Amino acid sequence: MLSQNERERYSRQIMLFGEEGQERLKEATIFIAGAGGLGSPISIYLAVAGVGRIVLVDKDTVERTNLNRQILHYDRDIGRKKTASAEEKLQAFNPDIAVEVIETTIDETNVHDLVGDADGIVDAMDNFPTRYLLNRTALEKKIPLFHGAIRGLYGQATTVLPGKTACLQCTFPHPPPREVFPVVGITPGFIGMVQATEVVKYLVGTGELLANRLLLWDGERAVVEEVALEQNPSCEVCGGRNIYGRNTP
């Protein structure tokens, strides 16, 4: 049940989702991988929307070079762990939610325990090996993966629904080379908002998700395009040799 304070805090959202929808947000747990450029706007907006429990994982320390885009962190946070900085800000944004931060590197040995009983996984990473790991974990746990990635003034987003859509490995079978890529903060801001919107829609059961659709943002031209996706029956993760032992439609 929502408290009177929560009814006031979320009154404009309740006009859209009803109290039942807001209660779904309150009861949800969302796992966010990364507290950087994408993780910052995603976690902030999920916190203020009232997602009841946010689990945020990051290993890094705040550096000055982060500050043009990682809006969870301030100049005074340089040298602090991103998890500590993020927890402080998110609890200040909304003291009515639970914020759990974990300082570690996500890998094969811990990913299942880290995700735990989350209702969804948000990919706010900057490398494809970890993204592929999150993708496999989402499929095995049968929970959605909300993917986003950026470079410069360009970005992309899609939502993976296990058993229903192409997985991340179908869409990107070969990872791009590792690099220190250029970025301006407005790009992860834009893509992060798309990802946060997908999470909220999924949790309250409204709207049309980016299922089997890849949204492409071209900030140079201020153009949003869309690419239709299909599951690859030969995909080693979700296709002919998938975890379910059969091809999914």
Side-chain angles (χ1 to χ4, degrees):
M1 296 291 291
L2 300 177
S3 67
Q4 184 56 37
N5 283 344
E6 288 171 324
R7 290 189 181 92
E8 293 178 11
R9 177 184 289 271
Y10 308 123
S11 60
R12 296 297 184 96
Q13 294 176 193
I14 291 171
M15 294 172 66
L16 290 173
F17 308 139
E19 288 201 13
E20 181 180 353
Q22 192 63 49
E23 287 170 359
R24 289 178 184 170
L25 293 176
K26 181 178 180 177
E27 294 166 359
T29 295
I30 292 295
F31 177 88
I32 304 176
L38 287 168
S40 290
I42 293 166
S43 61
I44 289 171
Y45 276 95
L46 293 185
V48 299
V51 171
R53 179 169 170 254
I54 293 174
V55 180
L56 184 61
V57 177
D58 201 293
K59 178 66 174 176
D60 293 339
T61 299
V62 179
E63 300 177 357
R64 184 165 281 107
T65 57
N66 302 147
L67 300 182
N68 79 316
R69 63 197 182 282
Q70 300 184 17
I71 58 175
L72 268 177
H73 315 300
Y74 305 161
D75 197 84
R76 68 168 190 253
D77 296 313
I78 294 172
R80 294 181 72 193
K81 291 297 184 181
K82 289 183 182 179
T83 47
S85 172
E87 182 179 24
E88 174 188 288
K89 311 306 192 314
L90 295 175
Q91 289 289 192
F93 278 122
N94 191 347
D96 292 333
I97 67 169
V99 179
E100 179 182 349
V101 295
I102 304 172
E103 182 197 337
T104 192
T105 299
I106 299 170
D107 60 30
E108 293 273 3
T109 68
N110 62 18
V111 64
H112 277 265
D113 289 338
L114 291 173
V115 174
D117 61 355
D119 298 293
I121 298 171
V122 178
D123 166 18
M125 299 302 298
D126 61 359
N127 71 88
F128 267 81
T130 307
R131 288 186 166 116
Y132 289 151
L133 181 57
L134 296 172
N135 177 64
R136 292 197 301 272
T137 303
L139 294 175
E140 290 164 4
K141 288 181 173 285
K142 300 183 181 180
I143 59 176
L145 173 70
F146 304 95
H147 163 73
I150 56 94
R151 189 184 191 282
L153 285 167
Y154 299 87
Q156 65 192 32
T158 190
T159 295
V160 175
L161 302 175
K164 296 181 179 179
T165 70
C167 78
L168 202 64
Q169 195 93 33
C170 290
T171 307
F172 304 103
H174 305 293
R178 293 293 297 265
E179 65 170 327
V180 177
F181 52 83
V183 60
V184 60
I186 49 181
T187 306
F190 184 94
I191 296 299
M193 292 301 91
V194 173
Q195 290 176 269
T197 302
E198 289 290 285
V199 173
V200 170
K201 290 190 301 181
Y202 172 77
L203 293 176
V204 303
T206 190
E208 182 180 350
L209 296 172
L210 280 171
N212 276 330
R213 296 187 292 144
L214 180 66
L215 180 146
L216 299 173
W217 164 243
D218 178 348
E220 291 275 5
R221 299 185 299 135
V223 170
V224 176
E225 298 176 326
E226 185 179 295
V227 176
L229 304 177
E230 292 184 358
Q231 187 185 28
N232 178 3
S234 299
C235 176
E236 295 185 359
V237 178
C238 74
R241 288 175 282 179
N242 68 21
I243 60 173
Y244 307 109
R246 59 179 176 81
N247 287 335
T248 51

